[in-house]
Amino acid sequence: MTEAEVLTPSVWIVWVVIGITAGFMTGRLLPERAPLWVTIVVGIAAACVGGWIFTRIFGCSDTDFYLSLVSSALLSGIALWITAVVGRLIHRS
């Protein structure tokens, strides 16, 4: 499969949904850390970047597509954790 065949709009939509879900869950679990809209935006951006980078590095087969979903969720989680830590540091000062 070529990159154009794998990176269809539906793939980007799935990555966005993963980011929205991660951002919403983080915003609900840690409301004092950052506003909900910030966590959702960070989640979307990190999920899309994580999935795209994974696809560029490891290729474009069907199996790699499913692994790109996992990598987008992982990068989204890491970015949201960093957002929560930075939010805590900002609120302390």
Side-chain angles (χ1 to χ4, degrees), residues 3-7 16 19 21 25 28 35 40 47 49 54 58 62-63 65 67-69 78-80 83-84 89 92:
E3 183 178 347
E5 292 173 332
V6 173
L7 295 180
V16 167
T21 304
M25 288 172 42
R28 289 287 135 209
I40 290 175
V49 169
F54 184 89
F58 293 106
D62 290 336
T63 305
F65 164 70
L67 292 175
S68 78
L69 299 179
I78 291 169
L80 289 165
T83 302
L89 292 173
R92 281 189 183 171

Side-chain angles (χ1 to χ4, degrees), residues 13-72:
I13 290 170
V14 171
W15 290 339
V16 167
V17 169
I18 288 172
I20 289 171
T21 304
F24 183 78
M25 288 172 42
T26 302
R28 289 287 135 209
L29 292 174
L30 305 171
E32 71 278 356
R33 303 288 191 247
L36 181 61
W37 69 271
V38 171
T39 59
I40 290 175
V41 169
V42 170
I44 292 171
C48 289
V49 169
W52 182 78
I53 288 174
F54 184 89
T55 304
R56 298 287 293 170
I57 292 173
F58 293 106
C60 299
S61 71
D62 290 336
T63 305
D64 292 334
F65 164 70
Y66 294 115
L67 292 175
S68 78
L69 299 179
V70 173
S71 72
S72 69

